[in-house]
Amino acid sequence: MLVPLRSTRMRIVLKINGKGSFLKLTKNKMTLANQIENQTEKRNRKPRGFYKNRQGKGRFIKDYEQAALAFLGLHRPIDLCSYLKVDFYALQDLIAKPSYRHYFIPKKSGGNRQIDAPNQLLKRIQKKMNRSLQGIYLGIQPTCAHGFVIHPRDQIKAANIVENALPHIGKKQVLNLDLENFFSSIKAKRIRDLFKSDIFQFTENMANAITLLTTINGHLPQGAPTSPVLSNLVCLSLDKQLMAWCEERKINYTRYADDLSFSCDEPFTLEVISGIRLIISQHDFRVNEKKLRKRANNKKQTVTGLVVNEKVNVDRKLIKKVRAMLFDLRLNGIKAAAQKHYDSIECVSDKKCDAFLFKLKGYINFIGQVRGKEDAIYIKFNQQIVPTHQNGNNAK
């Protein structure tokens, strides 16, 4: 439980393991703490004051705020052990030899993507740190960033691909860029420098320890709970520079993870694109040339997979696909529909049938998220999936 946080006092009182501990913050850290508090108050629309163990609206955000302030108050390795609730020697072993499981998943564009999944203990530690880091990022998050951010239950606008696409509706030109090898291009040195920066102001030893707990082979691992929020924190300077540069030229800019989208009512000249490239390269990222797309409004314009020509909408191909899946399911039963969907010669297992239904429901929910729960197509699909599911169970 967090008890009182006041800007006039350069300390935060936290209750850790039932004992009150004073965690002194530097001036810059206190400024960040106030930013986090201000952001919380802005979202909750409640008066400033003491943080008590309240239930109801706003508690979700305050939990993240408390986690953020606890992380900012770490000074020594023993503090890190207490925060993570891990034995000192166990933590030392994890820092020296972090354990990951490596495997590959296919990319939509072809080829394979390597996933580095941490073991159970390391994953628990990274999840704990992720909660704190998300709370910190919440207080300083730029308006252009929409990927890998928390979804407060009491926020009116959820940070998702829909919000990322909204600024680009009805523009004459849309430009999409992709950052190449996003996670692996963020080196451990940048993470260490981040933890030593004005945001955290950790000592060399603390910065090194946390960096080694969140990186592998000298870069961010794709598959670690902390990698997404750390990538957002690393991209803060990139986002701020691109936002300022674009604002001067009346260009809209948003970023969803490694997908950068720009839109305006003037053509994207080579000079403009070169200016964007230059800023990206200054921040040690590279543009994936294969995924650079420029679209005028006489063609289908998409941002993070959503159509933005007139309104934010799903692609027609998805609606046709769901309609066909529902028709096949209703006509032939779940076994035949799943077999056709997975293009399988042999009869599919019950597990595959469940996966087919799960995917179909996911598509329908996604349509509702984008088009709205009052949308006629979403309502129709949602009504069809229930009786169809029951018939499918009977057909097993």
Side-chain angles (χ1 to χ4, degrees):
M1 182 176 67
L2 187 63
V3 297
L5 166 64
R6 296 180 183 179
S7 58
T8 54
R9 297 170 64 187
M10 304 304 269
R11 63 183 182 179
I12 294 172
V13 184
L14 292 174
K15 271 199 171 182
I16 300 174
N17 298 329
K19 296 179 181 179
S21 300
F22 287 95
L23 302 179
K24 296 179 182 179
L25 298 183
T26 64
K27 188 173 181 180
N28 285 337
K29 283 190 181 182
M30 196 65 220
T31 301
L32 177 59
N34 288 335
Q35 279 183 273
I36 295 168
E37 185 186 14
N38 290 338
Q39 188 78 350
T40 303
E41 296 301 333
K42 190 185 297 182
R43 292 170 192 267
N44 294 334
R45 302 183 186 280
K46 291 187 178 180
R48 297 172 65 89
F50 293 89
Y51 294 145
K52 304 216 175 174
N53 191 13
R54 295 193 290 253
Q55 298 295 327
K57 186 177 179 181
R59 178 64 192 276
F60 182 80
I61 290 290
K62 291 193 184 301
D63 286 346
Y64 273 92
E65 181 191 43
Q66 180 176 338
L69 296 175
F71 192 75
L72 288 172
L74 300 177
H75 291 286
R76 302 164 299 163
I78 195 67
D79 296 333
L80 186 61
C81 292
S82 177
Y83 162 77
L84 294 173
K85 297 181 180 177
V86 176
D87 176 76
F88 180 80
Y89 295 105
L91 187 63
Q92 211 171 29
D93 289 341
L94 278 176
I95 290 170
K97 296 179 181 179
S99 179
Y100 286 85
R101 181 169 62 92
H102 312 286
Y103 59 93
F104 293 88
I105 59 172
K107 293 182 181 179
K108 288 183 179 179
S109 56
N112 292 315
R113 176 180 285 110
Q114 181 173 325
I115 302 298
D116 303 306
N119 72 0
Q120 191 172 0
L121 177 58
L122 184 56
K123 186 177 182 180
R124 179 179 70 77
I125 286 171
Q126 290 176 347
K127 279 186 173 181
K128 171 87 173 179
M129 288 194 287
N130 175 61
R131 190 172 185 84
S132 295
L133 292 168
Q134 287 282 12
I136 292 167
Y137 187 67
L138 180 67
I140 54 179
Q141 175 192 340
T143 55
C144 66
H146 298 281
F148 301 148
V149 293
I150 60 173
H151 296 244
R153 288 192 292 264
D154 58 336
Q155 253 189 296
I156 296 172
K157 294 182 179 179
N160 54 31
I161 61 171
V162 177
E163 292 300 318
N164 185 64
L166 282 174
H168 307 289
I169 296 173
K171 296 298 179 181
K172 291 182 179 179
Q173 294 278 333
V174 172
L175 174 69
N176 301 113
L177 300 176
D178 184 87
L179 300 181
E180 193 171 47
N181 300 323
F182 186 50
F183 286 124
S184 60
S185 68
I186 300 176
K187 304 303 180 185
K189 182 182 182 301
R190 297 179 73 177
I191 302 301
R192 186 191 63 189
D193 291 344
L194 170 68
F195 287 127
K196 291 170 64 180
S197 70
D198 288 343
I199 297 174
F200 297 94
Q201 295 190 17
F202 287 141
T203 63
E204 183 82 21
N205 286 341
M206 281 289 290
N208 284 336
I210 299 172
T211 298
L212 289 169
L213 286 170
T214 55
T215 60
I216 183 174
N217 299 328
H219 61 79
L220 282 183
Q222 182 151 348
T226 44
S227 291
V229 68
L230 285 174
S231 70
N232 272 338
L233 286 162
V234 166
C235 285
L236 275 171
S237 57
L238 170 68
D239 287 335
K240 288 177 181 178
Q241 189 173 349
L242 279 174
M243 283 176 68
W245 190 88
C246 289
E247 189 176 358
E248 290 176 2
R249 292 158 181 81
K250 297 181 179 179
I251 298 172
N252 292 329
Y253 162 65
T254 60
R255 182 180 63 82
Y256 191 95
D258 58 350
D259 289 321
L260 279 59
S261 300
F262 305 85
S263 64
C264 64
D265 290 322
E266 300 294 331
F268 282 104
T269 62
L270 287 174
E271 183 183 357
V272 170
I273 296 174
S274 296
I276 294 170
R277 285 179 183 275
L278 179 62
I279 294 172
I280 290 171
S281 65
Q282 286 172 348
H283 292 268
D284 298 320
F285 290 110
R286 288 188 300 177
V287 174
N288 186 341
E289 301 298 336
K290 294 179 181 178
K291 295 188 177 181
L292 191 152
R293 301 188 311 276
K294 185 171 65 171
R295 290 284 185 272
N297 58 358
N298 61 345
K299 296 181 180 179
K300 183 172 70 175
Q301 298 171 318
T302 60
V303 172
T304 48
L306 300 178
V307 181
V308 294
N309 289 70
E310 296 178 358
K311 64 178 183 178
V312 177
N313 203 352
V314 295
D315 197 300
R316 289 180 184 176
K317 290 179 182 178
L318 178 62
I319 292 177
K320 288 181 180 179
K321 183 176 184 177
V322 171
R323 188 176 286 123
M325 289 171 74
L326 282 168
F327 178 78
D328 200 21
L329 185 58
R330 187 169 59 251
L331 186 67
N332 302 311
I334 188 170
K335 289 278 187 182
Q339 187 175 347
K340 182 179 179 181
H341 177 75
Y342 291 111
D343 197 20
S344 176
I345 299 173
E346 299 177 354
C347 185
V348 295
S349 64
D350 288 348
K351 189 176 180 181
K352 279 278 189 182
C353 291
D354 291 339
F356 170 79
L357 281 173
F358 183 79
K359 182 180 284 189
L360 180 55
K361 288 177 182 178
Y363 285 149
I364 294 171
N365 287 334
F366 178 70
I367 291 169
Q369 180 191 10
V370 176
R371 295 175 64 98
K373 301 297 182 181
E374 304 301 320
D375 177 71
I377 292 176
Y378 166 74
I379 292 172
K380 183 179 179 181
F381 286 168
N382 206 37
Q383 288 172 343
Q384 287 178 354
I385 188 68
V386 177
T388 301
H389 185 191
Q390 291 171 350
N391 292 337
N393 284 334
N394 295 333
K396 281 187 179 183

